Coordinates of all heavy atoms in Angstrom, one line a residue:
L1 N 30.3 4.2 3.2 CA 29.4 3.1 2.8 C 27.9 3.3 3.1 O 27.1 2.6 2.7 CB 29.8 1.8 3.4 CG 31.1 1.2 2.8 CD1 31.5 -0.1 3.6 CD2 31.0 0.9 1.3
R2 N 27.6 4.3 4.0 CA 26.3 4.5 4.4 C 25.3 4.9 3.2 O 24.2 4.7 3.3 CB 26.2 5.5 5.5 CG 26.7 5.0 6.8 CD 26.4 6.0 7.9 NE 27.6 6.7 8.2 CZ 27.7 7.5 9.3 NH1 26.6 7.7 10.0 NH2 28.8 8.1 9.5
G3 N 25.8 5.6 2.3 CA 25.0 6.1 1.2 C 24.9 5.2 0.0 O 24.3 5.5 -1.0
V4 N 25.4 4.0 0.1 CA 25.5 3.1 -1.0 C 24.1 2.8 -1.6 O 23.8 2.8 -2.8 CB 26.2 1.8 -0.7 CG1 26.1 0.7 -1.8 CG2 27.7 2.1 -0.4
Q5 N 23.1 2.5 -0.7 CA 21.8 2.2 -1.1 C 21.1 3.4 -1.8 O 20.4 3.2 -2.8 CB 20.9 1.7 0.0 CG 20.5 2.7 1.1 CD 21.5 2.9 2.2 OE1 22.7 2.5 2.1 NE2 21.0 3.5 3.3
F6 N 21.4 4.6 -1.4 CA 20.9 5.7 -2.0 C 21.5 5.9 -3.4 O 20.8 6.3 -4.4 CB 21.1 7.0 -1.2 CG 20.3 6.9 0.1 CD1 20.9 6.8 1.3 CD2 18.9 7.0 0.1 CE1 20.2 6.7 2.5 CE2 18.2 6.9 1.3 CZ 18.8 6.7 2.5
D7 N 22.8 5.7 -3.5 CA 23.5 5.8 -4.8 C 22.9 4.9 -5.8 O 22.6 5.2 -6.9 CB 25.0 5.6 -4.6 CG 25.8 5.7 -5.9 OD1 25.6 6.8 -6.5 OD2 26.5 4.8 -6.2
A8 N 22.7 3.6 -5.3 CA 22.1 2.6 -6.2 C 20.7 3.0 -6.6 O 20.3 2.8 -7.8 CB 22.1 1.2 -5.6
S9 N 19.9 3.5 -5.7 CA 18.5 3.8 -6.0 C 18.3 5.0 -6.9 O 17.3 5.1 -7.7 CB 17.6 3.9 -4.8 OG 18.0 5.1 -4.1
L10 N 19.3 5.9 -6.9 CA 19.2 7.1 -7.7 C 19.8 6.9 -9.1 O 19.6 7.8 -10.0 CB 19.9 8.3 -7.0 CG 19.2 8.7 -5.7 CD1 20.0 9.7 -5.0 CD2 17.8 9.2 -6.0
R11 N 20.5 5.9 -9.4 CA 21.2 5.6 -10.7 C 20.1 5.2 -11.7 O 19.3 4.4 -11.4 CB 22.2 4.6 -10.6 CG 23.5 5.1 -9.9 CD 24.6 4.1 -10.0 NE 25.7 4.6 -9.2 CZ 26.9 4.3 -9.3 NH1 27.2 3.3 -10.2 NH2 27.8 4.8 -8.5
G12 N 20.2 5.7 -12.9 CA 19.4 5.2 -14.0 C 17.9 5.5 -13.8 O 17.1 4.8 -14.5
G13 N 17.6 6.3 -12.9 CA 16.1 6.6 -12.7 C 15.4 5.6 -11.9 O 14.1 5.6 -12.0
L14 N 16.1 4.7 -11.2 CA 15.4 3.6 -10.5 C 14.4 4.2 -9.5 O 13.2 3.7 -9.4 CB 16.4 2.7 -9.8 CG 15.8 1.6 -9.0 CD1 14.9 0.6 -9.9 CD2 16.9 0.8 -8.3
Y15 N 14.8 5.1 -8.7 CA 13.9 5.7 -7.7 C 12.7 6.3 -8.3 O 11.5 6.1 -7.8 CB 14.7 6.8 -6.9 CG 13.8 7.5 -5.9 CD1 13.6 7.0 -4.7 CD2 13.2 8.7 -6.2 CE1 12.8 7.6 -3.7 CE2 12.4 9.4 -5.3 CZ 12.2 8.8 -4.0 OH 11.4 9.4 -3.1
L16 N 12.8 7.0 -9.4 CA 11.6 7.6 -10.1 C 10.7 6.5 -10.7 O 9.5 6.6 -10.6 CB 12.1 8.5 -11.2 CG 12.8 9.8 -10.7 CD1 13.3 10.6 -11.9 CD2 12.0 10.6 -9.8
S17 N 11.3 5.4 -11.2 CA 10.5 4.3 -11.7 C 9.7 3.6 -10.6 O 8.5 3.3 -10.7 CB 11.4 3.3 -12.4 OG 10.7 2.2 -12.7
L18 N 10.4 3.4 -9.4 CA 9.7 2.8 -8.3 C 8.6 3.7 -7.8 O 7.5 3.2 -7.4 CB 10.7 2.5 -7.2 CG 11.8 1.5 -7.5 CD1 12.8 1.3 -6.4 CD2 11.2 0.1 -7.9
A19 N 8.8 5.0 -7.7 CA 7.8 5.9 -7.2 C 6.7 6.0 -8.2 O 5.5 6.1 -7.8 CB 8.4 7.3 -7.0
A20 N 6.9 6.0 -9.5 CA 5.9 6.0 -10.5 C 5.0 4.8 -10.4 O 3.7 4.9 -10.5 CB 6.5 6.1 -11.9
H21 N 5.5 3.6 -10.1 CA 4.7 2.4 -9.9 C 3.8 2.6 -8.7 O 2.6 2.3 -8.8 CB 5.6 1.2 -9.7 CG 4.9 0.0 -9.3 ND1 4.2 -0.8 -10.2 CD2 4.6 -0.6 -8.1 CE1 3.6 -1.8 -9.6 NE2 3.9 -1.7 -8.3
A22 N 4.3 3.1 -7.6 CA 3.5 3.2 -6.4 C 2.4 4.3 -6.6 O 1.2 4.1 -6.2 CB 4.4 3.7 -5.2
N23 N 2.7 5.4 -7.3 CA 1.7 6.4 -7.5 C 0.7 5.9 -8.5 O -0.5 6.2 -8.4 CB 2.4 7.7 -8.1 CG 3.2 8.4 -7.0 OD1 3.1 8.1 -5.8 ND2 4.1 9.2 -7.4
A24 N 1.1 5.1 -9.5 CA 0.1 4.6 -10.5 C -0.9 3.7 -9.8 O -2.1 3.7 -10.1 CB 0.8 3.8 -11.6
L25 N -0.4 2.8 -8.8 CA -1.3 2.0 -8.1 C -2.2 2.7 -7.2 O -3.4 2.3 -7.0 CB -0.5 0.9 -7.4 CG 0.1 -0.2 -8.3 CD1 0.9 -1.2 -7.6 CD2 -1.0 -0.9 -9.1
A26 N -1.8 3.8 -6.6 CA -2.6 4.7 -5.8 C -3.7 5.3 -6.6 O -4.9 5.4 -6.2 CB -1.8 5.7 -5.1
R27 N -3.4 5.7 -7.9 CA -4.4 6.2 -8.8 C -5.4 5.1 -9.1 O -6.6 5.4 -9.2 CB -3.8 6.8 -10.0 CG -3.1 8.2 -9.8 CD -2.7 8.9 -11.0 NE -1.8 8.1 -11.9 CZ -0.5 8.0 -11.8 NH1 0.1 8.7 -10.8 NH2 0.3 7.3 -12.6
R28 N -5.0 3.9 -9.3 CA -5.8 2.8 -9.6 C -6.8 2.5 -8.4 O -8.0 2.3 -8.6 CB -5.0 1.6 -9.9 CG -5.7 0.3 -10.3 CD -4.7 -0.8 -10.5 NE -5.4 -2.0 -11.0 CZ -4.8 -2.8 -11.9 NH1 -3.7 -2.5 -12.5 NH2 -5.4 -3.9 -12.3
L29 N -6.2 2.6 -7.2 CA -7.1 2.4 -6.0 C -8.1 3.5 -5.9 O -9.2 3.3 -5.6 CB -6.2 2.3 -4.8 CG -6.8 2.2 -3.5 CD1 -7.8 0.9 -3.4 CD2 -5.8 2.1 -2.4
T30 N -7.6 4.8 -6.1 CA -8.5 5.9 -6.0 C -9.7 5.8 -7.0 O -10.8 6.0 -6.7 CB -7.7 7.2 -6.3 OG1 -6.8 7.4 -5.2 CG2 -8.6 8.4 -6.4
A31 N -9.4 5.4 -8.3 CA -10.4 5.3 -9.3 C -11.4 4.2 -8.9 O -12.6 4.4 -9.1 CB -9.8 5.0 -10.6
G32 N -10.9 3.1 -8.4 CA -11.8 2.0 -7.9 C -12.7 2.4 -6.8 O -13.9 2.1 -6.8
L33 N -12.1 3.1 -5.8 CA -12.9 3.6 -4.7 C -14.0 4.6 -5.2 O -15.1 4.5 -4.7 CB -12.0 4.3 -3.6 CG -11.1 3.3 -2.9 CD1 -10.1 4.1 -2.1 CD2 -11.9 2.3 -2.0
E34 N -13.6 5.5 -6.0 CA -14.6 6.5 -6.5 C -15.7 5.8 -7.3 O -16.9 6.1 -7.2 CB -13.9 7.5 -7.4 CG -13.0 8.5 -6.6 CD -12.2 9.4 -7.5 OE1 -12.0 9.1 -8.7 OE2 -11.8 10.5 -6.9
A35 N -15.4 4.7 -8.1 CA -16.4 3.9 -8.8 C -17.3 3.3 -7.8 O -18.5 3.0 -8.1 CB -15.7 2.9 -9.7
L36 N -16.9 2.9 -6.6 CA -17.7 2.3 -5.6 C -18.5 3.4 -4.8 O -19.3 3.1 -3.9 CB -16.9 1.5 -4.6 CG -16.2 0.3 -5.2 CD1 -15.3 -0.3 -4.1 CD2 -17.3 -0.8 -5.6
G37 N -18.2 4.7 -5.1 CA -18.9 5.7 -4.4 C -18.3 6.1 -3.0 O -19.0 6.7 -2.2
V38 N -17.1 5.7 -2.8 CA -16.4 6.0 -1.5 C -15.8 7.4 -1.6 O -15.0 7.7 -2.5 CB -15.3 4.9 -1.3 CG1 -14.5 5.3 0.0 CG2 -15.9 3.5 -1.2
P39 N -16.2 8.2 -0.7 CA -15.6 9.6 -0.7 C -14.2 9.5 -0.2 O -13.8 8.7 0.6 CB -16.5 10.4 0.3 CG -17.2 9.3 1.2 CD -17.2 8.1 0.4
L40 N -13.4 10.5 -0.6 CA -12.0 10.6 -0.2 C -11.8 11.9 0.6 O -12.5 12.9 0.3 CB -11.1 10.6 -1.4 CG -11.2 9.4 -2.3 CD1 -10.4 9.6 -3.6 CD2 -10.8 8.1 -1.6
L41 N -10.9 11.9 1.6 CA -10.6 13.0 2.4 C -10.0 14.1 1.5 O -10.3 15.3 1.6 CB -9.7 12.7 3.5 CG -9.3 13.8 4.4 CD1 -10.5 14.3 5.2 CD2 -8.2 13.4 5.4
A42 N -9.1 13.7 0.6 CA -8.4 14.7 -0.3 C -8.0 14.0 -1.6 O -7.9 12.7 -1.6 CB -7.2 15.2 0.4
D43 N -7.8 14.7 -2.6 CA -7.3 14.2 -3.8 C -5.8 14.2 -3.7 O -5.1 15.2 -3.9 CB -7.7 15.0 -5.0 CG -7.2 14.5 -6.3 OD1 -6.9 13.3 -6.4 OD2 -7.1 15.3 -7.3
S44 N -5.2 13.0 -3.3 CA -3.8 13.0 -3.0 C -3.0 12.7 -4.3 O -3.3 11.7 -5.0 CB -3.5 11.8 -2.0 OG -2.2 11.6 -1.8
P45 N -1.9 13.5 -4.6 CA -1.1 13.2 -5.7 C 0.0 12.2 -5.5 O 0.8 11.9 -6.3 CB -0.5 14.6 -6.0 CG -0.4 15.2 -4.6 CD -1.6 14.7 -3.9
S46 N 0.0 11.6 -4.3 CA 1.1 10.7 -3.9 C 0.6 9.3 -3.8 O -0.5 9.0 -4.3 CB 1.6 11.1 -2.5 OG 0.7 10.8 -1.5
N47 N 1.3 8.4 -3.2 CA 1.0 7.0 -3.1 C 0.1 6.7 -1.9 O 0.0 5.6 -1.4 CB 2.2 6.1 -3.0 CG 3.1 6.4 -1.8 OD1 3.2 7.6 -1.3 ND2 3.7 5.4 -1.3
Q48 N -0.5 7.8 -1.3 CA -1.4 7.7 -0.2 C -2.8 7.9 -0.6 O -3.0 8.9 -1.4 CB -1.0 8.6 0.9 CG 0.4 8.4 1.4 CD 0.8 9.4 2.5 OE1 0.3 9.3 3.6 NE2 1.6 10.4 2.1
V49 N -3.7 7.1 -0.1 CA -5.2 7.3 -0.4 C -5.9 7.3 0.9 O -5.7 6.5 1.8 CB -5.6 6.1 -1.3 CG1 -7.1 6.3 -1.7 CG2 -4.8 6.0 -2.6
F50 N -6.9 8.3 1.0 CA -7.6 8.5 2.2 C -9.1 8.3 2.1 O -9.9 9.3 2.0 CB -7.3 9.9 2.8 CG -5.9 10.2 3.0 CD1 -5.0 10.6 2.1 CD2 -5.3 9.9 4.3 CE1 -3.7 10.9 2.3 CE2 -4.0 10.1 4.6 CZ -3.2 10.6 3.6
P51 N -9.6 7.1 2.0 CA -11.0 6.9 1.9 C -11.8 7.1 3.2 O -11.2 6.9 4.3 CB -11.2 5.4 1.5 CG -9.9 4.8 1.9 CD -8.9 5.8 1.9
I52 N -13.0 7.5 3.1 CA -13.9 7.7 4.3 C -14.9 6.7 4.3 O -15.7 6.6 3.3 CB -14.5 9.1 4.3 CG1 -13.4 10.2 4.3 CG2 -15.4 9.3 5.5 CD1 -13.9 11.6 4.1
L53 N -14.9 5.8 5.3 CA -15.8 4.7 5.4 C -16.8 4.8 6.6 O -16.4 5.4 7.6 CB -15.0 3.4 5.5 CG -14.0 3.1 4.4 CD1 -13.2 1.9 4.7 CD2 -14.7 3.0 3.1
P54 N -17.9 4.1 6.5 CA -18.7 3.9 7.7 C -17.9 3.2 8.7 O -17.1 2.3 8.3 CB -19.9 3.1 7.2 CG -20.0 3.3 5.7 CD -18.5 3.5 5.3
E55 N -18.0 3.5 10.0 CA -17.2 2.8 11.0 C -17.3 1.3 10.9 O -16.3 0.6 11.1 CB -17.6 3.3 12.4 CG -17.1 4.7 12.8 CD -17.6 5.1 14.1 OE1 -18.3 4.4 14.9 OE2 -17.2 6.3 14.5
G56 N -18.5 0.8 10.7 CA -18.6 -0.7 10.7 C -17.8 -1.3 9.5 O -17.2 -2.3 9.7
A57 N -17.8 -0.6 8.4 CA -17.1 -1.1 7.2 C -15.6 -1.0 7.5 O -14.8 -1.9 7.2 CB -17.4 -0.3 6.0
A58 N -15.1 0.0 8.2 CA -13.7 0.2 8.5 C -13.3 -0.9 9.5 O -12.2 -1.5 9.3 CB -13.4 1.5 9.1
E59 N -14.1 -1.2 10.5 CA -13.8 -2.3 11.4 C -13.8 -3.6 10.7 O -12.9 -4.4 11.0 CB -14.9 -2.3 12.5 CG -14.8 -1.1 13.5 CD -15.9 -1.0 14.4 OE1 -16.7 -2.0 14.6 OE2 -16.0 0.1 15.1
A60 N -14.7 -3.9 9.9 CA -14.7 -5.2 9.2 C -13.5 -5.3 8.2 O -12.9 -6.4 8.2 CB -16.0 -5.3 8.4
L61 N -13.2 -4.2 7.6 CA -12.0 -4.2 6.7 C -10.8 -4.5 7.5 O -9.9 -5.2 7.0 CB -11.9 -2.9 5.9 CG -10.9 -2.8 4.9 CD1 -11.1 -3.8 3.8 CD2 -10.8 -1.4 4.4
G62 N -10.7 -4.0 8.7 CA -9.5 -4.2 9.5 C -9.2 -5.6 9.9 O -8.1 -6.0 10.3
R63 N -10.2 -6.4 9.8 CA -10.1 -7.9 10.1 C -9.4 -8.6 8.9 O -8.9 -9.7 9.1 CB -11.4 -8.5 10.4 CG -12.0 -8.0 11.7 CD -13.2 -8.8 12.2 NE -14.4 -8.5 11.5 CZ -15.2 -7.5 11.9 NH1 -14.9 -6.8 13.0 NH2 -16.3 -7.3 11.2
S64 N -9.3 -8.0 7.7 CA -8.8 -8.6 6.6 C -7.5 -8.0 6.0 O -6.7 -8.6 5.4 CB -9.8 -8.6 5.4 OG -10.9 -9.3 5.8
V65 N -7.4 -6.7 6.2 CA -6.2 -5.9 5.6 C -5.7 -4.9 6.6 O -6.4 -4.6 7.6 CB -6.6 -5.2 4.3 CG1 -7.0 -6.2 3.2 CG2 -7.6 -4.1 4.5
E66 N -4.5 -4.5 6.4 CA -3.8 -3.5 7.3 C -4.0 -2.1 6.7 O -3.8 -2.0 5.5 CB -2.4 -3.8 7.5 CG -2.1 -5.1 8.3 CD -0.7 -5.3 8.6 OE1 0.1 -4.3 8.9 OE2 -0.3 -6.5 8.6
F67 N -4.3 -1.2 7.5 CA -4.3 0.2 7.1 C -4.2 1.0 8.4 O -4.2 0.5 9.5 CB -5.6 0.6 6.4 CG -6.9 0.2 7.2 CD1 -7.4 1.1 8.2 CD2 -7.6 -0.9 7.0 CE1 -8.5 0.8 8.9 CE2 -8.7 -1.2 7.7 CZ -9.2 -0.4 8.6
E68 N -4.0 2.3 8.2 CA -3.9 3.2 9.3 C -5.1 4.0 9.4 O -5.7 4.5 8.4 CB -2.7 4.1 9.1 CG -2.4 5.1 10.3 CD -1.1 5.8 10.1 OE1 -0.1 5.2 9.9 OE2 -1.2 7.1 10.1
V69 N -5.6 4.2 10.7 CA -6.8 5.1 10.9 C -6.2 6.5 10.9 O -5.4 6.8 11.7 CB -7.5 4.7 12.2 CG1 -8.6 5.8 12.5 CG2 -8.2 3.3 12.1
E70 N -6.7 7.3 10.0 CA -6.3 8.7 9.9 C -7.0 9.5 11.0 O -6.4 10.2 11.8 CB -6.6 9.2 8.5 CG -6.2 10.7 8.3 CD -4.7 10.9 8.4 OE1 -3.9 9.9 8.2 OE2 -4.3 12.0 8.7
R71 N -8.4 9.4 11.1 CA -9.2 10.1 12.1 C -10.6 9.7 12.0 O -11.1 9.2 11.0 CB -9.0 11.6 11.9 CG -9.7 12.1 10.6 CD -9.6 13.6 10.5 NE -8.5 13.9 9.7 CZ -8.4 15.0 9.0 NH1 -9.3 16.0 9.1 NH2 -7.3 15.3 8.3
G72 N -11.3 9.8 13.1 CA -12.7 9.7 13.2 C -13.4 10.9 12.5 O -12.8 12.0 12.6
M73 N -14.5 10.6 11.9 CA -15.2 11.7 11.3 C -16.6 11.8 11.8 O -17.1 10.9 12.5 CB -15.3 11.4 9.8 CG -14.0 11.1 9.1 SD -13.0 12.5 8.6 CE -14.0 13.4 7.5
D74 N -17.3 12.9 11.5 CA -18.7 13.0 12.0 C -19.6 12.0 11.3 O -19.2 11.4 10.3 CB -19.2 14.4 11.8 CG -19.2 14.8 10.3 OD1 -18.6 14.1 9.5 OD2 -19.9 15.8 10.0
G75 N -20.8 11.7 11.8 CA -21.7 10.8 11.2 C -21.3 9.3 11.2 O -21.7 8.6 10.4
G76 N -20.5 9.0 12.2 CA -20.1 7.6 12.4 C -19.2 7.1 11.3 O -19.3 5.9 10.8
R77 N -18.4 7.9 10.8 CA -17.5 7.6 9.7 C -16.0 7.6 10.2 O -15.7 8.3 11.1 CB -17.7 8.5 8.5 CG -19.1 8.5 7.9 CD -19.3 9.5 6.8 NE -18.9 10.8 7.3 CZ -18.4 11.8 6.4 NH1 -18.4 11.6 5.2 NH2 -18.1 12.9 6.9
T78 N -15.2 6.9 9.4 CA -13.7 6.8 9.8 C -12.9 7.1 8.5 O -13.2 6.5 7.5 CB -13.4 5.5 10.4 OG1 -14.1 5.2 11.5 CG2 -11.9 5.4 10.7
C79 N -12.0 8.0 8.6 CA -11.0 8.2 7.5 C -9.8 7.2 7.7 O -9.2 7.3 8.8 CB -10.6 9.6 7.4 SG -9.4 9.9 6.1
I80 N -9.5 6.4 6.7 CA -8.4 5.5 6.9 C -7.3 5.9 5.8 O -7.6 6.7 4.9 CB -8.8 4.0 6.7 CG1 -9.4 3.7 5.3 CG2 -9.8 3.7 7.8 CD1 -9.6 2.3 5.1
R81 N -6.1 5.3 5.9 CA -5.1 5.7 5.0 C -4.5 4.4 4.4 O -4.1 3.5 5.2 CB -4.0 6.5 5.7 CG -2.8 6.8 4.8 CD -1.8 7.7 5.5 NE -1.0 6.9 6.4 CZ 0.3 6.8 6.2 NH1 1.0 7.4 5.2 NH2 1.0 6.1 7.1
F82 N -4.5 4.3 3.1 CA -3.8 3.2 2.4 C -2.5 3.8 1.8 O -2.5 4.9 1.4 CB -4.6 2.6 1.3 CG -5.9 1.8 1.7 CD1 -7.1 2.2 1.3 CD2 -5.7 0.7 2.6 CE1 -8.2 1.5 1.7 CE2 -6.8 0.0 3.0 CZ -8.1 0.4 2.5
V83 N -1.5 3.0 1.8 CA -0.2 3.4 1.1 C 0.2 2.3 0.2 O 0.4 1.2 0.6 CB 0.9 3.7 2.2 CG1 2.1 4.2 1.5 CG2 0.4 4.8 3.2
T84 N 0.4 2.7 -1.1 CA 0.9 1.7 -2.0 C 2.4 1.9 -2.1 O 3.0 2.9 -1.6 CB 0.3 1.9 -3.5 OG1 0.6 3.3 -3.8 CG2 -1.1 1.6 -3.5
A85 N 3.1 0.9 -2.5 CA 4.6 0.9 -2.5 C 5.2 0.4 -3.8 O 4.5 0.0 -4.7 CB 5.1 0.0 -1.4
W86 N 6.5 0.5 -3.9 CA 7.2 0.1 -5.1 C 7.0 -1.3 -5.5 O 7.0 -1.8 -6.6 CB 8.7 0.4 -5.0 CG 9.3 -0.4 -3.9 CD1 9.5 0.0 -2.6 CD2 9.9 -1.7 -3.9 NE1 10.1 -1.0 -1.8 CE2 10.4 -2.0 -2.6 CE3 10.1 -2.6 -5.0 CZ2 11.0 -3.2 -2.4 CZ3 10.7 -3.8 -4.7 CH2 11.2 -4.1 -3.4
H87 N 6.6 -2.1 -4.5 CA 6.5 -3.6 -4.7 C 5.0 -4.1 -4.6 O 4.7 -5.3 -4.6 CB 7.4 -4.4 -3.7 CG 7.0 -4.1 -2.2 ND1 7.1 -2.9 -1.6 CD2 6.4 -5.0 -1.3 CE1 6.7 -3.0 -0.4 NE2 6.3 -4.2 -0.2
T88 N 4.1 -3.1 -4.5 CA 2.7 -3.5 -4.4 C 2.2 -4.1 -5.8 O 2.3 -3.4 -6.8 CB 1.8 -2.3 -4.1 OG1 2.2 -1.7 -2.8 CG2 0.3 -2.7 -4.0
P89 N 1.7 -5.3 -5.8 CA 1.2 -5.8 -7.1 C -0.1 -5.3 -7.4 O -1.0 -5.1 -6.5 CB 1.2 -7.4 -6.9 CG 1.3 -7.6 -5.4 CD 1.8 -6.3 -4.8
P90 N -0.4 -5.1 -8.7 CA -1.8 -4.6 -9.1 C -2.9 -5.6 -8.6 O -4.0 -5.1 -8.3 CB -1.7 -4.6 -10.6 CG -0.3 -4.5 -11.0 CD 0.5 -5.2 -9.8
E91 N -2.6 -6.8 -8.5 CA -3.6 -7.8 -8.1 C -4.0 -7.5 -6.6 O -5.2 -7.8 -6.3 CB -3.0 -9.2 -8.2 CG -2.7 -9.7 -9.6 CD -1.3 -9.2 -10.0 OE1 -0.5 -8.8 -9.2 OE2 -1.1 -9.2 -11.3
D92 N -3.1 -7.0 -5.8 CA -3.5 -6.6 -4.4 C -4.5 -5.5 -4.4 O -5.4 -5.5 -3.6 CB -2.3 -6.3 -3.6 CG -1.5 -7.5 -3.2 OD1 -1.8 -8.6 -3.6 OD2 -0.5 -7.3 -2.5
V93 N -4.3 -4.5 -5.3 CA -5.2 -3.4 -5.4 C -6.6 -3.9 -5.8 O -7.6 -3.5 -5.2 CB -4.7 -2.3 -6.3 CG1 -5.8 -1.2 -6.6 CG2 -3.4 -1.7 -5.7
D94 N -6.6 -4.8 -6.8 CA -7.9 -5.3 -7.3 C -8.6 -6.1 -6.2 O -9.8 -6.1 -6.1 CB -7.6 -6.2 -8.6 CG -7.1 -5.3 -9.7 OD1 -7.3 -4.1 -9.7 OD2 -6.5 -5.9 -10.6
A95 N -7.8 -6.9 -5.5 CA -8.4 -7.7 -4.4 C -9.0 -6.8 -3.3 O -10.1 -7.1 -2.8 CB -7.4 -8.7 -3.8
L96 N -8.3 -5.8 -3.0 CA -8.8 -4.8 -2.0 C -10.1 -4.2 -2.4 O -11.0 -4.1 -1.7 CB -7.7 -3.7 -1.7 CG -8.2 -2.6 -0.8 CD1 -8.6 -3.1 0.6 CD2 -7.0 -1.6 -0.6
L97 N -10.1 -3.8 -3.7 CA -11.3 -3.2 -4.2 C -12.5 -4.2 -4.2 O -13.7 -3.8 -3.9 CB -11.1 -2.6 -5.6 CG -10.2 -1.4 -5.7 CD1 -9.8 -1.1 -7.1 CD2 -10.9 -0.2 -5.0
A98 N -12.3 -5.4 -4.5 CA -13.3 -6.4 -4.5 C -13.8 -6.6 -3.1 O -15.0 -6.8 -2.8 CB -12.8 -7.8 -5.1
L99 N -12.9 -6.7 -2.1 CA -13.3 -6.8 -0.7 C -14.1 -5.6 -0.3 O -15.1 -5.7 0.4 CB -12.0 -6.9 0.2 CG -12.2 -7.0 1.7 CD1 -13.0 -8.2 2.0 CD2 -10.8 -7.1 2.3
M100 N -13.7 -4.4 -0.7 CA -14.4 -3.2 -0.3 C -15.8 -3.2 -0.9 O -16.8 -2.8 -0.2 CB -13.6 -1.9 -0.8 CG -12.3 -1.7 -0.2 SD -12.3 -0.9 1.3 CE -12.9 0.7 0.9
E101 N -15.9 -3.7 -2.1 CA -17.2 -3.7 -2.8 C -18.2 -4.7 -2.0 O -19.3 -4.3 -1.7 CB -17.1 -4.3 -4.2 CG -18.4 -4.3 -4.9 CD -18.2 -4.7 -6.4 OE1 -17.2 -5.3 -6.8 OE2 -19.2 -4.4 -7.2
D102 N -17.6 -5.8 -1.5 CA -18.4 -6.7 -0.7 C -18.8 -6.1 0.6 O -20.0 -6.3 1.1 CB -17.7 -8.0 -0.5 CG -17.6 -8.9 -1.7 OD1 -18.4 -8.7 -2.6 OD2 -16.7 -9.8 -1.7
L103 N -17.9 -5.4 1.3 CA -18.2 -4.8 2.6 C -19.2 -3.7 2.5 O -20.0 -3.4 3.4 CB -16.9 -4.2 3.2 CG -15.9 -5.3 3.7 CD1 -14.7 -4.6 4.2 CD2 -16.5 -6.0 4.9
L104 N -19.3 -3.0 1.4 CA -20.1 -1.8 1.3 C -21.5 -2.1 0.7 O -22.3 -1.2 0.5 CB -19.4 -0.7 0.4 CG -18.1 -0.2 1.0 CD1 -17.4 0.7 0.0 CD2 -18.4 0.6 2.3
K105 N -21.8 -3.4 0.4 CA -23.1 -3.8 -0.1 C -24.2 -3.6 1.0 O -24.0 -3.8 2.1 CB -23.1 -5.2 -0.6 CG -22.4 -5.3 -1.9 CD -22.4 -6.8 -2.3 CE -21.7 -6.9 -3.6 NZ -21.7 -8.3 -4.1

């Protein structure tokens, strides 16, 4: 019975559909960050996005949303990591981008 959840997720392409959703939202987030002029650590093909923010912006953002600090960078910058998931609504990505736009003004 231990593999039941894996069996269910692999049937009918469900796993691929869920992964495609997460990856599409990561691309949406990436495009929005790039439009805001936010540099990225790498062009990630997965559901992970690595923006590089001024330390103050990263600290302020951390009061409103959860993310992981990837590493400190030179010039008083911080690389953070966002991860989208199978259940991330597009509205959450849009709200995050709006918040980022306000913080970076």
